[in-house]
Amino acid sequence: MERLRSYWNRCVEANGIDSDGPPDLWNGQPSTLVTSCTAHSFTLATGEQILSATTPALLLAEHEILFVTCFWARSPSLSHLSDTLRQLSAKSLARRDGIRIRIRICLSSLSLMQKLFHTSSPSGHVYPPSTWVSKLGLPAPDELQGLDLQIKSIFIRPFSVMHPKFIIIDRKSAFLPSCNVSWEKWFEGCVSLEGEVVGKLVDFWRNFWGRNDFAPLAFSPNPGRTPVSLTSEPGPKSTDTIPLTLPHTISLPSTQIPALLLPSPHHPNPHFHPLPIHSAPPFPHTPLNTFLHHALRTATQKIYIQTPNLTAPPVLAALHDALARGVDVEIVTNRRMMVFEQLVTAGTLTEICVWWLRGRYRRLMKQREKKRKAAADGADEERGGGRAREVGKLRVGYYRALMPPTERGGSGTGDEPVKSHLKLTVVDGEIVVLGSGNMDRASWYTSQELGVAFWSRDMAGEILGDVRECLSGRVEEYYP
């Protein structure tokens, strides 16, 4: 814990933190974001598979579920959630104690029209029960009489979407998925958590979503309760010819590990800048941005990033600097994902930014070779130069769905993810960051985001190993 606390203090001292965070969340004292947790499981699957797999855990709820997502659409995922709500209502009514299970569903995006005409009040819009079926695709109120249910949306024009995704059960356990409630069949991840970090997540919810809607829960602790995690049927290991099928869940070492809650408040001003990437305006120094930027700038060995899109100028600059310092960088991202959104919020595309990074990297390699040749000729020392500095290795891959089963000679289903939506950063095999934040301009400059940093070599090794195994056959090499 002290190592993470010391690292975070150095990060804050070197970069500073914006003071415009939610009241009482860090209140000018970033050290309050340091916490701990037990991570029980990590799942890779489609969003539908992840939300379906949370059903057994949700049905264990006795008092409250806080369900936060970004995009909401009629889909198999929504059908799973609707069925779960019906079962929870029946469970609550069967108790006959008159206390309904409290459910709060929070979202930000339904459609373009909803965002165009949405109130910009931070209090958001609460959907009356009469609109649950027509607007949201949920069961009718008479099917959910056992629930104290409220659905709220918040969106701040022009671009400030509330992007976090998390589920908190009875304020004791939590899931941190990367997926929305939607139809997209994307490669997603989800980690299950217990411990002190859950209280920090509750504080985040209370300070933003739960204003004037936060009541104490009267319940007795249940120390014998089975830890909440996701499970999936064990499948065969991947090989060169048979990639691993999804969903896939691994158990993580059930030990307490240092963690850091990393909120990133929304910013209505996108700070668009017409000049090239190196002249980008300063990014908002939110806890998430500041931590990620510091981790990339101080990495000494290796950086692994998996992100839906890569258009954030501070990230691209930090990765270039890391390569120049001799740090290896590996990136997995997508081609042609959310093209319209990228053009509107970033004015560029991931493919262009990756091309830019590759070009700058090749320049670094040429400069190194030039220095090496000069040193070999003795000319370098005459000019006062030194030994050629090693350049890190750059590896970039674009996610691709597996070929149809008939073409690859294996078996499969229609659940194959077509794009990667996982947000994962691993630095020096010790720091893991999961959450909602992409490495794109929208996440860094306008959207509200939420991440959790974990300080654990065991967890980093388990998660990165599992991701690599599940990506086998699903990555098209772009560079080298």
Side-chain angles (χ1 to χ4, degrees):
M1 181 70 77
E2 288 308 313
R3 288 185 64 200
L4 176 58
R5 194 182 303 277
S6 175
Y7 182 91
W8 178 231
N9 288 339
R10 292 196 304 271
C11 173
V12 172
E13 289 170 5
N15 302 278
I17 295 287
D18 292 344
S19 58
D20 59 352
D24 302 324
L25 192 51
W26 68 86
N27 212 18
Q29 299 180 34
S31 61
T32 60
L33 298 173
V34 177
T35 183
S36 63
C37 71
T38 301
H40 291 292
S41 67
F42 180 69
T43 297
L44 293 169
T46 64
E48 177 190 346
Q49 290 167 337
I50 285 174
L51 292 180
S52 175
T54 63
T55 298
L58 295 175
L59 292 176
L60 292 175
E62 295 290 338
H63 306 278
E64 179 186 75
I65 295 174
L66 306 176
F67 189 104
V68 179
T69 190
C70 176
F71 183 55
W72 182 278
R74 295 173 191 267
S75 59
S77 295
L78 180 53
S79 297
H80 288 303
L81 180 58
S82 296
D83 289 341
T84 301
L85 293 176
R86 291 187 184 97
Q87 293 179 65
L88 284 168
S89 177
K91 169 184 172 178
S92 181
L93 291 173
R95 295 193 307 203
R96 300 184 183 280
D97 57 7
I99 300 175
R100 296 183 296 169
I101 297 176
R102 187 172 183 266
I103 310 286
R104 295 294 182 265
I105 296 176
C106 310
L107 57 102
S108 189
S109 175
L110 279 169
S111 65
L112 176 61
M113 294 300 291
Q114 172 252 352
K115 286 182 280 198
L116 285 175
F117 296 101
H118 199 285
T119 174
S120 286
S121 167
S123 298
H125 172 70
V126 175
Y127 290 86
S130 60
T131 65
W132 291 354
V133 176
S134 60
K135 295 273 189 186
L136 302 168
L138 285 168
D142 60 4
E143 296 183 76
L144 305 176
Q145 295 181 39
L147 304 180
D148 171 12
L149 174 62
Q150 183 188 91
I151 302 107
K152 177 191 284 190
S153 64
I154 300 178
F155 176 81
I156 309 297
R157 294 188 297 270
F159 301 121
S160 292
V161 71
M162 307 306 135
H163 203 228
K165 305 144 180 63
F166 58 90
I167 306 168
I168 304 173
I169 302 171
D170 287 339
R171 304 184 192 175
K172 295 179 181 179
S173 57
F175 293 110
L176 200 67
S178 64
C179 57
N180 297 296
V181 178
S182 66
W183 66 83
E184 296 103 343
K185 288 187 176 178
W186 290 344
F187 186 94
E188 309 275 8
C190 180
V191 63
S192 63
L193 304 171
E194 288 189 336
E196 189 180 299
V197 72
V198 178
K200 300 287 186 184
L201 286 168
V202 172
D203 289 342
F204 176 86
W205 184 91
R206 174 173 58 86
N207 281 287
F208 186 77
W209 293 100
R211 297 168 186 169
N212 305 316
D213 181 37
F214 191 77
L217 296 183
F219 60 85
S220 57
N222 184 2
R225 176 173 168 177
T226 303
V228 172
S229 60
L230 297 184
T231 59
S232 65
E233 292 296 321
K237 293 287 186 180
S238 64
T239 68
D240 291 339
T241 56
I242 306 177
L244 194 67
T245 57
L246 302 177
H248 188 255
T249 297
I250 59 169
S251 295
L252 297 173
S254 292
T255 57
Q256 183 172 284
I257 59 175
L260 186 65
L261 188 75
L262 295 170
S264 190
H266 68 276
H267 292 79
N269 183 355
H271 291 289
F272 286 137
H273 203 293
L275 296 179
I277 194 167
H278 60 271
S279 337
F283 60 88
H285 282 267
T286 68
L288 178 60
N289 286 352
T290 298
F291 183 89
L292 284 171
H293 193 250
H294 184 77
L296 299 180
R297 295 299 292 265
T298 60
T300 59
Q301 299 170 24
K302 184 160 187 175
I303 296 168
Y304 177 90
I305 290 176
Q306 190 161 340
T307 177
N309 284 314
L310 179 61
T311 59
V315 176
L316 292 160
L319 292 177
H320 174 265
D321 291 347
L323 289 163
R325 295 195 311 272
V327 177
D328 295 341
V329 172
E330 183 176 357
I331 300 165
V332 177
T333 186
N334 297 283
R335 295 184 191 271
R336 299 180 296 278
M337 184 169 187
M338 299 182 288
V339 171
F340 177 75
E341 289 86 345
Q342 288 189 74
L343 291 173
V344 169
T345 61
T348 186
L349 296 172
T350 291
E351 294 92 321
I352 295 173
C353 293
V354 168
W355 171 82
W356 176 89
L357 182 62
R358 183 188 67 175
R360 294 295 297 270
Y361 178 71
R362 285 175 169 171
R363 243 152 99 193
L364 283 175
M365 296 294 287
K366 288 179 180 178
Q367 289 169 1
R368 184 192 66 171
E369 288 304 312
K370 188 176 179 181
K371 278 197 169 187
R372 277 184 172 176
K373 289 179 180 178
D377 295 339
D380 195 51
E381 292 199 25
E382 289 178 12
R383 290 194 297 268
R387 189 176 171 186
R389 190 171 190 175
E390 288 299 320
V391 176
K393 296 176 183 176
L394 175 63
R395 188 182 184 94
V396 182
Y398 285 114
Y399 181 89
R400 66 180 178 192
L402 294 176
M403 292 185 294
T406 53
E407 293 183 32
R408 60 184 172 90
S411 61
T413 70
D415 291 326
E416 173 61 25
V418 296
K419 299 286 185 183
S420 172
H421 196 239
L422 177 66
K423 307 96 169 19
L424 169 67
T425 301
V426 182
V427 178
D428 289 342
E430 186 170 39
I431 297 171
V432 180
V433 181
L434 291 164
S436 69
N438 303 323
M439 294 297 191
D440 61 16
R441 199 184 193 286
S443 285
W444 276 67
Y445 284 86
T446 57
S447 303
Q448 183 195 79
E449 304 290 353
L450 181 67
V452 178
F454 307 91
W455 191 291
S456 167
R457 284 197 175 277
D458 289 342
M459 183 178 181
E462 291 281 352
I463 287 180
L464 196 50
D466 189 47
V467 168
R468 290 190 189 284
E469 188 173 17
C470 288
L471 285 178
S472 175
R474 292 184 170 97
V475 176
E476 172 194 349
E477 295 293 341
Y478 172 76
Y479 189 87

